[in-house]
Amino acid sequence: MTSVLAFSTSSSRPGTGGNWPRHTTATADDVVVSGVSMLRLVELCGTPCVHTATAPDAAEATDHDGAARPLDVSVVVVRVTSVRGRGAERVVEVDGRLDGCDACWFELRMIGRASTVPAIAVGLLTPSEPGAGTQVSLPADIAVGDLVAVPCGHVSALRDIRRG
């Protein structure tokens, strides 16, 4: 198991820049990336799941023909499988390996339901290599079954985030 550590009070939200892919918008309970609802993606694919889209900035790469093309990034959605502890000792476990996906932790977002409670710092555990760790900001009422979407700085393959 890997715990993941990185906490920020950044107010960046999907659709307002930051590290979310270009053409990302947020609703009260979902994130839509280039017209694809992350909730619908979970309905179709289960969790963990990955959606690839164009990077938020104008960064471009050159393909083998020398033509410029926009860089891609991804959004990973995982499901909460366990919540333990209280307050500063709260630990949330999810069903995907996130240590190698270059996750932008300060921009992660709970989806699937709207929460009006304040966010708190919690430890995030993933089924990965032991020893690494991270603090993230999630609503205080985070519960088993909730979904968490996080933008990733590069394209992540589904095989890299699946359990085991």
Coordinates of all heavy atoms in Angstrom, one line a residue, residues 80-143:
V80 N -13.4 5.3 -3.4 CA -13.0 5.1 -2.0 C -13.4 3.7 -1.5 O -14.6 3.4 -1.6 CB -13.6 6.2 -1.1 CG1 -13.3 6.0 0.4 CG2 -13.1 7.6 -1.5
T81 N -12.4 3.0 -1.0 CA -12.7 1.6 -0.5 C -12.7 1.5 1.0 O -13.2 0.5 1.6 CB -11.7 0.6 -1.1 OG1 -10.4 1.0 -0.7 CG2 -11.9 0.5 -2.6
S82 N -12.1 2.5 1.7 CA -12.0 2.5 3.2 C -11.8 3.9 3.7 O -11.0 4.6 3.1 CB -10.9 1.5 3.6 OG -10.6 1.6 5.0
V83 N -12.4 4.2 4.8 CA -12.2 5.4 5.5 C -12.0 5.1 7.0 O -12.8 4.4 7.6 CB -13.3 6.4 5.4 CG1 -13.1 7.7 6.2 CG2 -13.6 6.8 3.9
R84 N -10.8 5.4 7.6 CA -10.5 5.1 9.0 C -10.0 6.4 9.7 O -9.4 7.3 9.1 CB -9.4 4.1 9.1 CG -9.5 3.0 8.1 CD -8.4 1.9 8.5 NE -7.1 2.2 8.0 CZ -6.6 2.0 6.8 NH1 -7.4 1.6 5.9 NH2 -5.4 2.3 6.5
G85 N -10.2 6.4 11.0 CA -9.7 7.4 11.8 C -10.6 8.7 11.8 O -11.6 8.8 11.2
R86 N -10.1 9.7 12.6 CA -10.8 10.9 12.8 C -9.9 12.1 12.7 O -8.7 12.0 13.0 CB -11.6 11.0 14.1 CG -12.6 9.9 14.2 CD -13.3 10.0 15.6 NE -14.6 9.3 15.4 CZ -15.7 9.9 15.4 NH1 -15.8 11.2 15.5 NH2 -16.8 9.3 15.2
G87 N -10.4 13.2 12.3 CA -9.6 14.5 12.3 C -8.3 14.3 11.5 O -8.3 13.8 10.4
A88 N -7.2 14.8 12.1 CA -5.9 14.7 11.4 C -5.4 13.3 11.2 O -4.5 13.1 10.4 CB -4.9 15.5 12.3
E89 N -6.1 12.3 11.9 CA -5.7 10.9 11.7 C -6.5 10.2 10.6 O -6.3 9.0 10.5 CB -5.8 10.2 13.0 CG -5.0 10.8 14.2 CD -3.5 10.8 13.8 OE1 -3.0 9.7 13.4 OE2 -2.8 11.8 14.1
R90 N -7.4 10.9 10.0 CA -8.2 10.2 9.0 C -7.4 9.7 7.8 O -6.6 10.5 7.3 CB -9.3 11.2 8.5 CG -10.2 10.5 7.5 CD -11.6 11.0 7.3 NE -12.3 11.2 8.5 CZ -13.4 11.9 8.7 NH1 -13.9 12.5 7.6 NH2 -14.0 12.0 9.8
V91 N -7.7 8.5 7.4 CA -7.0 7.9 6.2 C -8.1 7.4 5.3 O -9.0 6.7 5.7 CB -6.1 6.7 6.7 CG1 -5.5 6.0 5.5 CG2 -5.0 7.2 7.6
V92 N -7.9 7.7 4.0 CA -8.8 7.3 3.0 C -8.1 6.3 2.0 O -7.0 6.7 1.5 CB -9.4 8.5 2.2 CG1 -10.2 8.0 1.0 CG2 -10.2 9.4 3.1
E93 N -8.6 5.2 1.7 CA -8.0 4.2 0.8 C -8.8 4.2 -0.5 O -10.1 4.2 -0.4 CB -7.9 2.8 1.4 CG -7.1 1.9 0.6 CD -6.9 0.5 1.3 OE1 -7.2 0.4 2.5 OE2 -6.5 -0.4 0.6
V94 N -8.2 4.1 -1.6 CA -8.8 4.1 -2.9 C -8.4 2.8 -3.7 O -7.4 2.2 -3.3 CB -8.6 5.4 -3.7 CG1 -9.2 6.6 -3.1 CG2 -7.1 5.5 -4.0
D95 N -9.1 2.5 -4.8 CA -8.9 1.3 -5.5 C -7.9 1.4 -6.7 O -7.9 0.5 -7.5 CB -10.2 0.7 -6.0 CG -10.9 1.6 -7.0 OD1 -10.5 2.7 -7.3 OD2 -12.0 1.2 -7.5
G96 N -7.2 2.5 -6.8 CA -6.3 2.6 -7.9 C -4.9 3.0 -7.5 O -4.7 3.7 -6.5
R97 N -3.9 2.6 -8.2 CA -2.5 2.9 -8.0 C -2.3 4.3 -8.6 O -2.4 4.5 -9.8 CB -1.6 1.9 -8.6 CG -1.7 0.5 -8.1 CD -1.0 -0.4 -9.0 NE 0.3 0.1 -9.2 CZ 1.5 -0.6 -8.9 NH1 1.4 -1.7 -8.4 NH2 2.6 0.0 -9.2
L98 N -1.9 5.3 -7.8 CA -1.8 6.7 -8.3 C -0.4 7.2 -8.2 O -0.1 8.3 -8.5 CB -2.7 7.6 -7.5 CG -4.2 7.2 -7.6 CD1 -5.0 8.1 -6.7 CD2 -4.7 7.4 -9.0
D99 N 0.5 6.4 -7.7 CA 1.9 6.9 -7.4 C 2.7 7.2 -8.7 O 3.6 8.0 -8.7 CB 2.7 5.9 -6.5 CG 2.8 4.5 -7.1 OD1 1.7 4.0 -7.6 OD2 3.9 3.9 -7.1
G100 N 2.4 6.5 -9.8 CA 3.1 6.8 -11.0 C 2.4 7.6 -12.1 O 2.9 7.7 -13.2
C101 N 1.3 8.2 -11.7 CA 0.5 8.9 -12.7 C 0.7 10.4 -12.7 O 0.1 11.2 -13.4 CB -1.0 8.6 -12.6 SG -1.8 9.3 -11.2
D102 N 1.7 10.9 -12.0 CA 2.0 12.4 -11.9 C 0.7 13.2 -11.5 O 0.3 14.2 -12.2 CB 2.6 12.9 -13.2 CG 3.1 14.3 -13.1 OD1 3.4 14.7 -12.0 OD2 3.2 14.9 -14.2
A103 N 0.0 12.7 -10.5 CA -1.3 13.3 -10.1 C -1.0 14.7 -9.5 O -0.1 14.9 -8.8 CB -1.9 12.4 -9.0
C104 N -1.9 15.6 -9.8 CA -1.9 16.9 -9.3 C -2.8 17.0 -8.1 O -4.0 17.3 -8.2 CB -2.4 17.9 -10.4 SG -1.5 17.8 -11.9
W105 N -2.3 16.5 -7.0 CA -3.1 16.3 -5.7 C -3.9 17.5 -5.3 O -5.0 17.3 -4.8 CB -2.1 15.8 -4.6 CG -1.5 14.5 -4.9 CD1 -0.1 14.3 -5.1 CD2 -2.1 13.3 -5.2 NE1 0.1 13.0 -5.5 CE2 -1.1 12.4 -5.5 CE3 -3.4 12.9 -5.1 CZ2 -1.4 11.0 -5.7 CZ3 -3.7 11.5 -5.4 CH2 -2.7 10.6 -5.7
F106 N -3.4 18.7 -5.4 CA -4.1 19.9 -4.9 C -5.3 20.2 -5.7 O -6.1 21.1 -5.4 CB -3.2 21.1 -4.8 CG -2.5 21.5 -6.1 CD1 -3.1 22.5 -6.8 CD2 -1.4 21.0 -6.5 CE1 -2.6 22.9 -8.0 CE2 -0.8 21.4 -7.7 CZ -1.4 22.4 -8.5
E107 N -5.5 19.5 -6.9 CA -6.7 19.7 -7.7 C -7.6 18.6 -7.7 O -8.6 18.6 -8.5 CB -6.2 20.1 -9.1 CG -5.5 21.4 -9.2 CD -5.3 21.9 -10.6 OE1 -6.3 22.0 -11.3 OE2 -4.1 22.2 -10.9
L108 N -7.4 17.5 -6.9 CA -8.3 16.4 -6.9 C -9.7 16.9 -6.5 O -9.8 17.9 -5.8 CB -7.8 15.2 -6.1 CG -8.1 15.1 -4.6 CD1 -7.9 13.7 -4.2 CD2 -7.3 16.1 -3.8
R109 N -10.7 16.1 -6.9 CA -12.1 16.6 -6.6 C -13.0 15.3 -6.4 O -12.9 14.4 -7.2 CB -12.6 17.3 -7.9 CG -13.9 17.9 -7.8 CD -14.3 18.6 -9.0 NE -15.6 19.1 -9.0 CZ -16.0 20.3 -8.6 NH1 -15.1 21.2 -8.3 NH2 -17.2 20.6 -8.6
M110 N -13.8 15.4 -5.4 CA -14.8 14.3 -5.2 C -15.9 14.5 -6.2 O -16.4 15.7 -6.4 CB -15.4 14.4 -3.8 CG -16.3 13.2 -3.5 SD -17.0 13.3 -1.8 CE -18.2 14.6 -1.9
I111 N -16.4 13.5 -6.8 CA -17.5 13.5 -7.8 C -18.5 12.5 -7.4 O -18.3 11.6 -6.5 CB -17.0 13.3 -9.2 CG1 -16.4 12.0 -9.4 CG2 -16.1 14.4 -9.6 CD1 -16.1 11.6 -10.9
G112 N -19.7 12.6 -7.9 CA -20.8 11.6 -7.7 C -21.8 12.1 -6.7 O -22.9 11.7 -6.7
R113 N -21.5 13.1 -5.9 CA -22.4 13.7 -5.0 C -21.8 15.1 -4.6 O -20.6 15.3 -4.5 CB -22.7 12.9 -3.8 CG -21.6 12.7 -2.8 CD -22.0 11.9 -1.6 NE -20.8 11.7 -0.7 CZ -20.5 12.4 0.3 NH1 -21.3 13.5 0.6 NH2 -19.5 12.2 1.1
A114 N -22.7 16.0 -4.3 CA -22.3 17.3 -3.8 C -22.2 17.3 -2.3 O -23.0 16.7 -1.6 CB -23.3 18.4 -4.2
S115 N -21.1 17.9 -1.8 CA -20.9 18.0 -0.3 C -20.8 19.4 0.1 O -20.2 20.2 -0.6 CB -19.6 17.2 0.1 OG -19.4 17.4 1.5
T116 N -21.5 19.8 1.2 CA -21.4 21.2 1.7 C -20.5 21.3 2.9 O -20.4 22.4 3.5 CB -22.8 21.7 2.0 OG1 -23.4 20.8 3.0 CG2 -23.7 21.7 0.7
V117 N -19.9 20.2 3.3 CA -19.0 20.3 4.5 C -17.7 20.8 4.1 O -17.2 20.6 3.0 CB -19.0 18.9 5.2 CG1 -20.3 18.5 5.7 CG2 -18.3 17.9 4.4
P118 N -16.9 21.4 5.0 CA -15.6 21.9 4.7 C -14.6 20.7 4.4 O -14.8 19.6 4.8 CB -15.1 22.5 6.0 CG -16.3 22.7 6.8 CD -17.3 21.7 6.4
A119 N -13.6 21.0 3.6 CA -12.6 20.1 3.2 C -11.6 20.0 4.4 O -11.4 21.0 5.1 CB -11.9 20.5 2.0
I120 N -11.1 18.8 4.6 CA -10.0 18.6 5.6 C -8.9 17.8 4.9 O -9.0 17.3 3.9 CB -10.6 17.8 6.8 CG1 -11.0 16.4 6.3 CG2 -11.7 18.5 7.5 CD1 -11.3 15.4 7.5
A121 N -7.7 17.9 5.6 CA -6.6 17.1 5.1 C -6.7 15.7 5.6 O -7.0 15.4 6.8 CB -5.3 17.7 5.7
V122 N -6.6 14.7 4.7 CA -6.6 13.3 5.0 C -5.5 12.6 4.3 O -4.9 13.1 3.4 CB -8.0 12.7 4.5 CG1 -9.2 13.3 5.1 CG2 -8.1 12.7 3.0
G123 N -5.1 11.5 4.9 CA -4.0 10.7 4.2 C -4.7 9.8 3.1 O -5.8 9.3 3.3
L124 N -4.1 9.7 2.0 CA -4.7 8.9 0.9 C -3.8 7.7 0.7 O -2.6 7.8 0.4 CB -4.7 9.8 -0.4 CG -5.3 9.1 -1.6 CD1 -6.8 8.9 -1.4 CD2 -5.1 9.9 -2.9
L125 N -4.4 6.5 0.8 CA -3.7 5.3 0.6 C -4.1 4.7 -0.7 O -5.3 4.6 -1.1 CB -4.0 4.3 1.7 CG -3.5 4.7 3.1 CD1 -4.0 3.6 4.1 CD2 -2.0 4.8 3.2
T126 N -3.1 4.1 -1.5 CA -3.4 3.4 -2.7 C -2.7 2.1 -2.7 O -1.7 1.9 -2.0 CB -2.9 4.2 -3.9 OG1 -1.5 4.2 -3.9 CG2 -3.4 5.7 -3.9
P127 N -3.2 1.1 -3.4 CA -2.6 -0.2 -3.4 C -1.4 -0.3 -4.3 O -1.3 -0.8 -5.4 CB -3.7 -1.1 -4.0 CG -4.5 -0.2 -4.8 CD -4.5 1.1 -4.2
S128 N -0.3 0.4 -3.8 CA 1.0 0.5 -4.5 C 2.1 0.0 -3.7 O 2.0 -0.6 -2.7 CB 1.2 1.9 -5.0 OG 0.1 2.3 -5.8
E129 N 3.3 0.5 -4.1 CA 4.5 0.2 -3.3 C 4.5 0.9 -1.9 O 4.1 2.0 -1.8 CB 5.7 0.7 -4.1 CG 5.9 0.2 -5.5 CD 6.0 -1.3 -5.5 OE1 6.7 -1.9 -4.6 OE2 5.4 -2.0 -6.4
P130 N 4.9 0.2 -0.9 CA 4.9 0.8 0.5 C 6.0 1.9 0.6 O 7.0 1.8 -0.1 CB 5.2 -0.4 1.4 CG 5.9 -1.4 0.5 CD 5.4 -1.2 -0.9
G131 N 5.8 2.8 1.5 CA 6.8 3.7 1.8 C 6.5 5.1 1.4 O 7.0 6.1 2.1
A132 N 5.8 5.4 0.3 CA 5.6 6.8 -0.1 C 4.3 7.2 0.6 O 3.5 6.4 1.0 CB 5.4 6.8 -1.6
G133 N 4.1 8.5 0.7 CA 2.9 9.0 1.4 C 2.4 10.3 1.0 O 3.2 11.1 0.5
T134 N 1.0 10.6 1.1 CA 0.5 12.0 0.8 C -0.7 12.4 1.6 O -1.6 11.6 1.9 CB 0.1 12.0 -0.7 OG1 1.2 12.0 -1.5 CG2 -0.7 13.2 -1.1
Q135 N -0.8 13.7 1.9 CA -2.0 14.3 2.4 C -2.7 15.0 1.3 O -2.1 15.6 0.5 CB -1.6 15.3 3.5 CG -1.0 14.7 4.8 CD -2.1 14.2 5.6 OE1 -3.1 14.8 5.9 NE2 -1.9 13.0 6.1
V136 N -4.0 14.9 1.3 CA -4.8 15.5 0.3 C -6.0 16.2 1.0 O -6.3 15.9 2.1 CB -5.3 14.5 -0.8 CG1 -4.2 13.9 -1.6 CG2 -6.2 13.5 -0.2
S137 N -6.7 17.1 0.3 CA -7.8 17.8 0.8 C -9.1 17.2 0.2 O -9.3 17.2 -1.0 CB -7.7 19.3 0.4 OG -8.8 20.0 0.9
L138 N -10.0 16.7 1.1 CA -11.3 16.1 0.7 C -12.3 16.5 1.6 O -12.0 16.9 2.8 CB -11.2 14.6 0.6 CG -10.4 13.9 -0.5 CD1 -10.2 12.5 -0.3 CD2 -11.1 14.2 -1.8
P139 N -13.6 16.5 1.2 CA -14.7 16.9 2.2 C -14.6 16.0 3.4 O -14.3 14.8 3.3 CB -16.0 16.6 1.4 CG -15.5 16.7 -0.1 CD -14.1 16.2 -0.1
A140 N -15.0 16.6 4.6 CA -14.9 15.8 5.8 C -15.9 14.7 5.9 O -15.7 13.7 6.6 CB -15.2 16.8 7.0
D141 N -16.9 14.7 5.0 CA -17.9 13.6 5.0 C -17.6 12.5 3.9 O -18.4 11.7 3.6 CB -19.3 14.1 4.8 CG -19.5 14.8 3.5 OD1 -18.6 15.1 2.8 OD2 -20.7 15.1 3.2
I142 N -16.3 12.5 3.4 CA -15.9 11.5 2.5 C -16.2 10.1 3.0 O -16.1 9.8 4.2 CB -14.4 11.6 2.1 CG1 -14.0 10.7 0.9 CG2 -13.5 11.3 3.3 CD1 -14.3 11.3 -0.4
A143 N -16.8 9.2 2.2 CA -17.2 7.9 2.6 C -16.9 6.8 1.6 O -16.6 7.1 0.5 CB -18.8 8.0 2.8

